Coordinates of all heavy atoms in Angstrom, one line a residue:
E479 N 36.8 -20.2 42.3 CA 36.3 -20.3 43.6 C 35.2 -21.3 43.9 O 34.8 -21.7 45.0 CB 35.8 -18.9 44.2 CG 34.5 -18.4 43.5 CD 34.8 -17.8 42.1 OE1 36.0 -17.8 41.7 OE2 33.9 -17.4 41.5
N480 N 34.6 -21.8 42.8 CA 33.5 -22.7 42.8 C 34.1 -24.1 42.8 O 33.3 -25.1 43.0 CB 32.6 -22.5 41.5 CG 32.0 -21.3 41.4 OD1 31.6 -20.7 42.5 ND2 31.7 -20.8 40.2
Q481 N 35.6 -24.3 42.7 CA 36.0 -25.7 42.7 C 36.2 -26.1 44.2 O 36.7 -25.4 45.0 CB 37.4 -25.6 42.0 CG 37.3 -25.0 40.6 CD 36.2 -25.6 39.8 OE1 36.1 -26.8 39.7 NE2 35.4 -24.8 39.3
N482 N 36.0 -27.3 44.4 CA 35.8 -28.0 45.7 C 37.1 -28.7 46.0 O 37.3 -29.8 45.8 CB 34.7 -29.1 45.9 CG 34.5 -29.4 47.3 OD1 35.1 -28.9 48.3 ND2 33.8 -30.6 47.4
F483 N 38.1 -28.0 46.4 CA 39.5 -28.4 46.8 C 39.6 -28.8 48.2 O 38.9 -28.0 49.1 CB 40.6 -27.4 46.4 CG 41.2 -27.6 45.1 CD1 41.2 -26.6 44.1 CD2 42.1 -28.8 44.8 CE1 41.8 -26.8 43.0 CE2 42.5 -29.0 43.6 CZ 42.6 -27.9 42.6
K484 N 40.3 -29.9 48.5 CA 40.5 -30.4 49.9 C 41.7 -31.2 50.1 O 42.2 -31.7 48.9 CB 39.1 -31.1 50.4 CG 39.1 -32.5 49.7 CD 37.8 -33.3 50.3 CE 37.6 -34.6 49.7 NZ 36.5 -35.4 50.2
F485 N 42.1 -31.3 51.2 CA 43.3 -32.0 51.5 C 43.0 -33.6 51.1 O 42.0 -34.1 51.5 CB 43.7 -31.9 53.1 CG 44.9 -31.1 53.3 CD1 44.9 -30.1 54.1 CD2 46.2 -31.7 52.8 CE1 46.0 -29.3 54.3 CE2 47.3 -30.8 53.0 CZ 47.2 -29.8 53.8
H486 N 44.0 -34.2 50.4 CA 44.1 -35.5 50.1 C 44.8 -36.4 50.9 O 44.5 -37.3 51.6 CB 44.3 -35.7 48.7 CG 44.1 -37.1 48.2 ND1 45.2 -37.9 47.9 CD2 43.0 -38.0 47.9 CE1 44.8 -39.1 47.5 NE2 43.4 -39.1 47.6
N487 N 46.1 -36.0 50.9 CA 47.2 -36.6 51.8 C 48.1 -35.6 52.4 O 48.5 -34.7 51.8 CB 48.0 -37.5 51.0 CG 47.2 -38.8 50.6 OD1 46.6 -39.5 51.6 ND2 47.5 -39.4 49.5
T488 N 48.1 -35.7 53.8 CA 49.1 -34.9 54.5 C 50.6 -35.4 54.4 O 50.7 -36.6 54.5 CB 48.7 -34.7 56.0 OG1 47.3 -34.4 56.1 CG2 49.6 -33.7 56.8
A489 N 51.6 -34.4 54.3 CA 52.9 -34.8 54.2 C 53.6 -35.3 55.6 O 53.2 -34.6 56.6 CB 53.7 -33.8 53.6
F490 N 54.3 -36.3 55.5 CA 55.1 -36.7 56.8 C 56.5 -36.7 56.3 O 56.9 -36.7 55.3 CB 54.6 -38.2 57.1 CG 53.2 -38.3 57.7 CD1 52.1 -38.6 56.7 CD2 52.7 -38.0 58.8 CE1 50.8 -38.7 57.1 CE2 51.6 -37.9 59.3 CZ 50.5 -38.3 58.4
P491 N 57.4 -36.7 57.5 CA 58.8 -36.7 57.2 C 59.2 -37.8 56.1 O 58.9 -38.9 56.5 CB 59.4 -36.8 58.6 CG 58.4 -36.3 59.5 CD 57.1 -36.5 58.9

Side-chain angles (χ1 to χ4, degrees):
E479 71 280 359
N480 295 326
Q481 309 307 310
N482 186 17
F483 265 117
K484 65 178 182 179
F485 251 117
H486 181 251
N487 282 320
T488 303
F490 295 97

